[in-house]
Amino acid sequence: HLSPTRPVLVSESFSRSFLASTQAPSHNTSAMSVEAAKALAGAAAVNNHVSAATKVVGVGSGSTIVYAVQRLAERVKGEGLEVRCVPTSFQARQLILQHGLVLGDLEIEGKIDVTIDGCDEADRDLTLIKGGGGCQTQEKIVAEYSDTFIVIADYRKDSVKLGQAWKYIPIEVVPMAYRPVMARLGDQLGGRAELRMAKAKAGPVVTDNGNLIVDWYWDQGREMKWREVNTIIQCMAGVVETGLFVGMA
């Protein structure tokens, strides 16, 4: 049960955890209340999981992360924290630079103390869907090489099972393979796959890595074992990474 008043730690497994804003929806929920929920979640993640001992922070992508970066910058300035920030996308890199934070890199740092990121949906087992912004490959790499992985989300992203709030799995694919991958998804797993098209340019969305995004709309009436599904997709030639984060939060 999510409390309507404050962010709480919903679950913690080993050194990985999931943090959700717990502002409950109401009949007069507005865009402002959603933004307030994001701000609460972002600030709480930084306040609870970044300390003077934290030296390297992974910075996720998406709208909620803006608030986490704002709070991190406040604490760096106010408390003299010495942290280096590893971005998960071009957007994250720009946020780091705009807020005057020190830019880091996995090639230099090797590993990360804590990563703070968002998600598109999380089920009761803390299986996540990410990649609505097309950054799931870098996000998964940074999360995997972090001692602690914190996922922040407002109340809209919290579901009993995947599919209640988000209807597809984003998959990053090498351009030459997008058609056969789309066909194989249908043959092996059902549902339908669509090449994600850009809205402000002609043609498809191109990721930071120069690849394409295939959005797989799975059969909602079919019970999915997400760990198995993730492995099947990852093993398809041409697939770079999926937006399924299984057992990571």
Side-chain angles (χ1 to χ4, degrees), residues 111-227:
K111 75 179 184 72
I112 297 164
D113 295 320
V114 58
T115 287
I116 301 173
D117 205 346
C119 70
D120 298 307
E121 187 175 29
D123 70 9
R124 60 189 170 191
D125 298 319
L126 299 185
T127 298
L128 314 177
I129 296 178
K130 292 174 55 57
C135 307
Q136 68 267 23
T137 298
Q138 300 99 302
E139 290 171 340
K140 192 174 284 189
I141 290 170
V142 171
E144 179 63 30
Y145 294 106
S146 300
D147 290 339
T148 303
F149 178 36
I150 305 299
V151 177
I152 54 177
D154 63 78
Y155 58 82
R156 301 169 302 162
K157 311 297 180 64
D158 184 42
S159 301
V160 174
K161 61 183 295 187
L162 296 185
Q164 293 177 321
W166 200 261
K167 304 302 181 184
Y168 59 88
I169 307 297
I171 304 166
E172 184 165 351
V173 179
V174 174
M176 69 175 292
Y178 84 91
R179 280 195 177 275
V181 166
M182 289 170 63
R184 186 159 293 183
L185 285 166
D187 292 342
Q188 293 191 7
L189 296 170
R192 76 179 196 279
E194 296 180 0
L195 180 65
R196 188 183 299 182
M197 304 303 290
K199 295 181 179 179
K201 67 174 278 289
V205 168
V206 179
T207 70
D208 289 356
N209 303 314
N211 297 312
L212 304 180
I213 296 288
V214 169
D215 293 324
W216 174 54
Y217 293 78
W218 72 94
D219 181 356
Q220 298 285 325
R222 180 177 171 183
E223 193 67 28
M224 292 291 178
K225 297 180 179 178
W226 290 116
R227 188 177 296 277

Side-chain angles (χ1 to χ4, degrees), residues 3-246:
S3 160
T5 57
R6 61 186 177 87
V8 297
L9 187 65
V10 177
S11 175
E12 184 165 346
S13 176
F14 301 105
S15 61
R16 300 183 183 274
S17 54
F18 178 83
L19 180 75
S21 164
T22 55
Q23 178 176 330
S26 63
H27 293 298
N28 62 350
T29 295
S30 65
M32 183 62 72
S33 68
V34 170
E35 290 306 308
K38 291 179 180 180
L40 281 172
V46 173
N47 290 341
N48 294 336
H49 299 282
V50 176
S51 69
T54 304
K55 299 304 178 185
V56 185
V57 176
V59 176
S61 306
S63 58
T64 308
I65 297 304
V66 173
Y67 297 102
V69 174
Q70 288 175 352
R71 180 56 184 150
L72 181 60
E74 290 172 359
R75 291 193 59 198
V76 166
K77 183 177 180 180
E79 302 172 32
L81 299 181
E82 297 182 357
V83 297
R84 298 177 298 282
C85 299
V86 177
T88 58
S89 64
F90 180 86
Q91 178 220 18
R93 186 178 189 276
Q94 296 308 301
L95 276 175
I96 292 166
L97 295 176
Q98 287 167 10
H99 286 82
L101 296 168
V102 178
L103 188 65
D105 187 280
L106 262 180
E107 186 174 3
I108 298 171
E109 310 301 343
K111 75 179 184 72
I112 297 164
D113 295 320
V114 58
T115 287
I116 301 173
D117 205 346
C119 70
D120 298 307
E121 187 175 29
D123 70 9
R124 60 189 170 191
D125 298 319
L126 299 185
T127 298
L128 314 177
I129 296 178
K130 292 174 55 57
C135 307
Q136 68 267 23
T137 298
Q138 300 99 302
E139 290 171 340
K140 192 174 284 189
I141 290 170
V142 171
E144 179 63 30
Y145 294 106
S146 300
D147 290 339
T148 303
F149 178 36
I150 305 299
V151 177
I152 54 177
D154 63 78
Y155 58 82
R156 301 169 302 162
K157 311 297 180 64
D158 184 42
S159 301
V160 174
K161 61 183 295 187
L162 296 185
Q164 293 177 321
W166 200 261
K167 304 302 181 184
Y168 59 88
I169 307 297
I171 304 166
E172 184 165 351
V173 179
V174 174
M176 69 175 292
Y178 84 91
R179 280 195 177 275
V181 166
M182 289 170 63
R184 186 159 293 183
L185 285 166
D187 292 342
Q188 293 191 7
L189 296 170
R192 76 179 196 279
E194 296 180 0
L195 180 65
R196 188 183 299 182
M197 304 303 290
K199 295 181 179 179
K201 67 174 278 289
V205 168
V206 179
T207 70
D208 289 356
N209 303 314
N211 297 312
L212 304 180
I213 296 288
V214 169
D215 293 324
W216 174 54
Y217 293 78
W218 72 94
D219 181 356
Q220 298 285 325
R222 180 177 171 183
E223 193 67 28
M224 292 291 178
K225 297 180 179 178
W226 290 116
R227 188 177 296 277
E228 294 179 12
V229 168
N230 190 51
T231 299
I232 290 170
I233 298 174
Q234 287 179 324
C235 288
M236 295 180 182
V239 168
V240 178
E241 191 52 86
T242 79
L244 278 169
F245 284 50
V246 186

